[in-house]
Amino acid sequence: MLLLALDQGTTSTRAILLTQEGKPVASDQRELPQIFPRSGWVEHDPEEIWRATEAVIGGALAKANAKASDVVALGITNQRETTIIWDRRTGKPIHNAIVWQDRRTADVCERLEKAGHGPTFTAKTGLLLDPYFSGTKIAWILDQVSGARDLAAAGHLAFGTVDCFLLWRLTGGKVHATDATNASRSLLYDIAKGDWDDELCGLLNVPRSLLPQVVDSAGVVGHTDPKLFGHAIPIAGIAGDQQAATVGQVCFAPGTIKSTYGTGCFVVLNTGATRVASKNKLLTTIAYKMGGKPTYAVEGSIFVAGASIQWLRDGLKLFASAGETQALAAAAPADDGVYLVPAFTGLGAPYWDAHARGAILGLSRDTGIATLVRAALEAVCYQTRDLLTTMQADGADKPVALRVDGGMTANDWAMQFLADILDVPVERPKILETTALGAAYLAGLGVGLYQSTDDLASLWQRDRLFEPNMDAGRRDRLYAGWRQAVDRILTK
């Protein structure tokens, strides 16, 4: 009896088979090519995503010597906000997927803000007017693809984030649905009423006919087409990647907090049944929805974390493998005043500057590869402190501990620096891929394999605890340098 998690991320697509206890049995992964049509624009090929999805599910089953009939439920987790529009009649996308990092609609967001609509969007969605979210991306595709507006008016087009597109394909076009976590990232969904909002759709010029049904994060929503894998698998869990990681880290109690370090970095603080409105540009969002009841969260979003390491590796060719960064960072001179501000696609929380661009400051003749690597890792930690500081300014208590996950957390040097710069203990779990784990847990809840979230809490296991040991003077001096570096690149 196995659970299957499909984790479709920004840079890869993977499938992981897990036991009921959450132990990985087998996995398969395919890299996802990035498309950069212009500066600040990021796209994916939806058909490449689909081909990879079929391949990794089949690959994971083959590696486990398992059949689709051995899988009790499938959970989907996905890169959020990435926008796909396809023709309902053919299932074919009408444009490349516009990725969450994409900045092409910054001017639209600024016009709406200047027209005074920002407070309306924030009050209903918990979000800020920013090109990060799906709504303006939908309008851009409809406006730029010839004939798209007419097709939409005729009811022939469907919008979805990646989970929704994959659900459509996996069910053979039978189900057009998304869960509440993904809907809550669209600028179109009223998170208090739990429904798409006509006023917001009108402001963004998005026809409601494009929008999917919104379902709970746990519960059977459809079955895979038997022709795909030889047996119909119940699809019983859906959540955006950061919400899935929150579930995987079993952050079910109000006040629990996790931070995921993947392409970007995302800190999510569970606030329970209470919607907490940030006064400092953090997001109010849905952590998950079960039994028809939403659980809310406050989120801080950093656009570039692991992506900066990927840039140093693939763009600048400074090293061959991310695994080398720990030794490089440890060998670099400490406190040499070099800061890397990775605003490759603007800055997210708490700055929200879509036009900011990256910079390296404090360079000298003896700056080398190790120093740049160290600065990139430190930047992720400084940005996390930005978010925790902002959460506390909004009234949150200082965390007792921060649970971390994602590929970057395998780097012990980075995790120790994170604990040091935050002055907060950092807990790393035994299973780092908690995004996939959360999708599997939701699917298990959806088919009754687990009776409640209490069944999941006992499954979490800590791998290592990183205790802060940096003196306060040095901590504050380093962070002050970071804030000065950020000030140098802000455009507003």
Side-chain angles (χ1 to χ4, degrees):
M1 187 165 58
L2 298 170
L3 292 165
L4 174 60
L6 175 61
D7 181 0
Q8 203 300 300
T10 311
T11 58
S12 72
T13 304
R14 78 185 76 190
I16 304 179
L17 286 165
L18 305 103
T19 67
Q20 183 176 347
E21 294 72 35
K23 298 187 184 306
V25 173
S27 66
D28 198 32
Q29 181 172 343
R30 296 286 187 277
E31 294 298 314
L32 178 60
Q34 311 294 297
I35 302 168
F36 304 104
R38 297 186 194 174
S39 175
W41 292 28
V42 191
E43 297 180 356
H44 290 154
D45 178 355
E47 296 295 351
E48 177 62 30
I49 292 174
W50 172 243
R51 287 191 294 270
T53 296
E54 288 188 288
V56 297
I57 291 177
L61 289 169
K63 289 179 180 179
N65 195 26
K67 302 184 295 293
S69 56
D70 298 322
V71 178
V72 295
L74 164 63
I76 301 173
T77 183
N78 56 289
Q79 50 168 315
R80 304 172 302 173
E81 299 96 15
T82 295
T83 298
I84 304 172
I85 296 179
W86 64 94
D87 192 315
R88 296 178 185 272
R89 299 167 298 179
T90 64
K92 298 294 185 183
I94 65 170
H95 190 274
N96 275 343
I98 301 181
V99 177
W100 58 273
Q101 297 165 309
D102 191 278
R103 306 272 91 190
R104 73 186 66 186
T105 61
D107 292 344
V108 175
C109 294
E110 289 170 5
R111 285 199 299 271
L112 288 165
E113 191 71 60
K114 288 177 180 176
H117 298 304
T120 300
F121 281 95
T122 299
K124 292 186 177 186
T125 70
L127 309 177
L128 302 172
L129 271 172
D130 190 87
Y132 174 28
F133 305 108
S134 309
T136 56
K137 296 179 172 69
I138 301 170
W140 189 94
I141 294 174
L142 293 177
D143 289 337
Q144 297 300 317
V145 175
S146 178
R149 285 280 175 195
D150 291 338
L151 289 172
H156 294 319
L157 298 184
F159 151 74
T161 40
V162 174
D163 62 299
C164 182
F165 175 68
L166 292 179
L167 179 63
W168 174 279
R169 286 286 179 94
L170 287 165
T171 60
K174 292 180 179 177
V175 181
H176 182 213
T178 190
D179 90 302
T181 70
N182 281 291
S184 74
R185 314 295 293 193
S186 65
L187 283 173
L188 300 169
Y189 186 78
D190 188 319
I191 62 173
K193 294 180 180 178
D195 196 9
W196 302 113
D197 186 87
D198 289 331
E199 180 184 12
L200 301 182
C201 288
L203 287 171
L204 293 182
N205 199 16
V206 173
R208 189 159 174 161
S209 61
L210 266 73
L211 304 178
Q213 176 190 3
V214 181
V215 299
D216 282 5
S217 305
V220 177
V221 66
H223 293 76
T224 62
D225 188 329
K227 295 192 291 291
L228 289 172
F229 309 110
H231 181 81
I233 303 171
I235 303 170
I238 304 173
D241 50 11
Q242 303 314 314
Q243 286 93 338
T246 302
V247 173
Q249 290 278 37
V250 298
C251 290
F252 299 122
T256 51
I257 186 170
K258 72 89 198 174
S259 188
T260 297
Y261 297 91
T263 301
C265 165
F266 303 86
V267 179
V268 178
L269 172 67
N270 186 318
T271 63
T274 304
R275 286 183 297 123
V276 176
S278 173
K279 302 179 183 67
N280 296 285
K281 297 187 176 181
L282 297 180
L283 307 177
T284 304
T285 195
I286 294 177
Y288 46 84
K289 187 178 181 183
M290 300 183 194
K293 296 180 179 179
T295 293
Y296 295 100
V298 170
E299 178 180 317
S301 308
I302 297 167
F303 298 152
V304 174
S308 62
I309 301 299
Q310 187 181 43
W311 171 67
L312 293 177
R313 182 193 67 192
D314 301 340
L316 300 189
K317 313 292 184 185
L318 298 188
F319 48 85
S321 165
E324 299 174 42
T325 59
Q326 179 168 312
L328 285 166
D335 305 355
D336 59 359
V338 175
Y339 290 90
L340 189 159
V341 185
F344 302 137
T345 55
L347 284 174
Y351 308 103
W352 295 107
D353 188 339
H355 296 292
R357 287 296 178 265
I360 303 171
L361 300 104
L363 294 173
S364 63
R365 284 289 300 271
D366 61 351
T367 300
I369 291 173
T371 295
L372 294 179
V373 169
R374 181 176 179 133
L377 293 173
E378 288 176 340
V380 177
C381 304
Y382 293 134
Q383 290 179 102
T384 307
R385 178 164 167 174
D386 286 342
L387 299 182
L388 292 194
T389 299
T390 306
M391 287 180 176
Q392 290 167 46
D394 276 339
D397 293 331
K398 183 177 180 179
V400 175
L402 177 67
R403 289 189 172 179
V404 298
D405 55 80
M408 287 189 73
T409 61
N411 187 314
D412 288 351
W413 186 93
M415 292 303 97
Q416 183 58 56
F417 188 82
L418 179 65
D420 287 340
I421 209 68
L422 298 180
D423 192 28
V424 170
V426 169
E427 292 186 310
R428 184 173 66 194
K430 287 190 174 180
I431 298 176
L432 294 182
E433 298 303 335
T434 53
T435 302
L437 186 62
Y441 283 165
L442 288 169
L445 285 165
V447 295
L449 189 63
Y450 311 112
Q451 296 306 305
S452 72
T453 56
D454 291 341
D455 292 349
L456 302 176
S458 62
L459 300 179
W460 189 89
Q461 293 181 302
R462 187 170 71 196
D463 169 59
R464 183 168 171 182
L465 176 67
F466 297 88
E467 295 273 14
N469 60 19
M470 183 183 289
D471 71 80
R474 181 182 173 213
R475 177 186 302 119
D476 292 342
R477 183 175 68 254
L478 290 173
Y479 185 62
W482 162 257
R483 293 303 297 261
Q484 290 170 7
V486 172
D487 286 345
R488 296 282 294 275
I489 65 141
L490 291 176
T491 65
K492 62 180 182 179

